[in-house]
Amino acid sequence: MFKDGRKKQRKWLILWLIVTLFIFVMGISLGAASVSIDRIIPTLLGDGSFKESFVLFSVRLPRIFVLAAAGMALALAGAVLQGVTRNDLADPGMIGISAGAGVGITIFYLLVKGDLPHFAYVLPAVGFCSALLTALSIYFFSYQRNKGVHPVQFILVGVGVASALSGVMMVLISSAERSDVQFIAQWLAGNVWGTDWPFFWALVPWLVLGIPYIFYKANVLNVLAMTEQTAVGLGMNIGRERLRLLIVAVALAAAAVSITGGVAFIGLMAPHIAKQLVGPRYQFFLPLTLLIGASLLMLADTIGRVAIASATVPAGIVVAFIGAPYFLYLLRKNV
């Protein structure tokens, strides 16, 4: 059975890798200033015109790499949260983690009043601190003595905290200057604004640290996804493992949304699609989850850039058009 799972995993990894590469090529080719597909490789090898080189190396490639990295981080964070809470509807955007990071980033932006690319490496850390404070608050309010954290209560408290943080964001918008409101509104809509190379390199350390740790804890996540009695019977310290994995999930989600803005549903959809394709074992679906998360966010951004000739639709809105019906489907399925 394990060998069959590995065989199915390899098949879908190859197929989804092809899909991801296709979306990647479309993402760097299409847009207001397009680069012909047959000119991509020559331009990458240094034989492109000045316009082609500028568009590819200074505009498209950093943007698409940022989207791929952020999509991976959000998808992996969602997979961990669903295992930790034993709730298939868990997502960083729904339980307040993304909102917590957003409030921290917004306050930082209003206080600094500077050019944010100069703070590219600081923003994920600011988002992480704010999101971690939010996650620990949710953890505290959903903790019951002698019972630990109840997964359903954790989700409900998270939804309440997310609503409260949305109110805080509205207060910040109402008190901000007109020039600052535009940035905050774009962030809330999931308009990818961190599209330069420094923002990509700011995401890399979080992925390099987070991905191996979560893969290492795949068996722990498998056990946590079972009943609490089973986990205790296997000798697992549930509270400690949940808290550690929660912190890593918060770090990945906060790093992503600090650069891409309020993008939701990636962490909900990617793990579910991967599970349906290769099964519920974390060893099998985590690698596929990374590819699906990257491809979904790249695809959403590409559609948003080319759907309307005179305007750009934020990637967060495009993802919401797909994710909201999918969420309703999962909600109906799990009720």
Side-chain angles (χ1 to χ4, degrees), residues 76-148:
L76 204 58
V80 172
L81 289 173
Q82 288 168 19
V84 167
T85 62
R86 296 203 308 277
N87 192 313
D88 289 341
L89 303 179
D91 173 80
M94 294 180 193
I95 63 174
I97 292 174
S98 295
V103 169
I105 294 294
T106 301
I107 294 173
F108 180 80
Y109 171 75
L110 294 175
L111 291 176
V112 170
K113 297 285 186 180
D115 191 7
L116 284 180
H118 293 154
F119 298 96
Y121 295 93
V122 178
L123 292 175
V126 172
F128 170 64
C129 292
S130 180
L132 182 61
L133 180 62
T134 303
L136 291 177
S137 300
I138 298 170
Y139 192 90
F140 173 79
F141 285 114
S142 59
Y143 185 86
Q144 298 177 358
R145 182 175 294 181
N146 300 325
K147 293 183 179 180

Side-chain angles (χ1 to χ4, degrees), residues 89-260:
L89 303 179
D91 173 80
M94 294 180 193
I95 63 174
I97 292 174
S98 295
V103 169
I105 294 294
T106 301
I107 294 173
F108 180 80
Y109 171 75
L110 294 175
L111 291 176
V112 170
K113 297 285 186 180
D115 191 7
L116 284 180
H118 293 154
F119 298 96
Y121 295 93
V122 178
L123 292 175
V126 172
F128 170 64
C129 292
S130 180
L132 182 61
L133 180 62
T134 303
L136 291 177
S137 300
I138 298 170
Y139 192 90
F140 173 79
F141 285 114
S142 59
Y143 185 86
Q144 298 177 358
R145 182 175 294 181
N146 300 325
K147 293 183 179 180
V149 176
H150 193 276
V152 175
Q153 189 171 354
F154 185 87
I155 296 292
L156 293 175
V157 173
V159 171
V161 170
S163 299
L165 290 173
S166 296
V168 173
M169 191 70 81
M170 292 301 105
V171 172
L172 293 173
I173 289 176
S174 63
S175 61
E177 298 178 5
R178 185 184 297 269
S179 58
D180 297 329
V181 169
Q182 183 178 1
F183 168 80
I184 300 172
Q186 288 178 340
W187 191 96
L188 287 171
N191 190 7
V192 182
W193 59 275
T195 56
D196 297 324
W197 285 115
F199 292 103
F200 169 69
W201 295 117
L203 284 174
V204 168
W206 301 83
L207 290 170
V208 169
L209 293 174
I211 291 176
Y213 181 80
I214 291 173
F215 276 59
Y216 174 71
K217 289 290 185 177
N219 277 326
V220 172
L221 285 164
N222 287 329
V223 175
L224 288 175
M226 301 177 185
T227 63
E228 196 145 332
Q229 291 81 4
T230 302
V232 172
L234 292 173
M236 179 178 292
N237 188 326
I238 298 177
R240 182 181 63 193
E241 295 294 349
R242 272 183 179 160
L243 187 58
R244 288 176 177 176
L245 287 163
L246 177 64
I247 290 173
V248 177
V250 167
L252 289 170
V257 300
S258 68
I259 305 299
T260 62

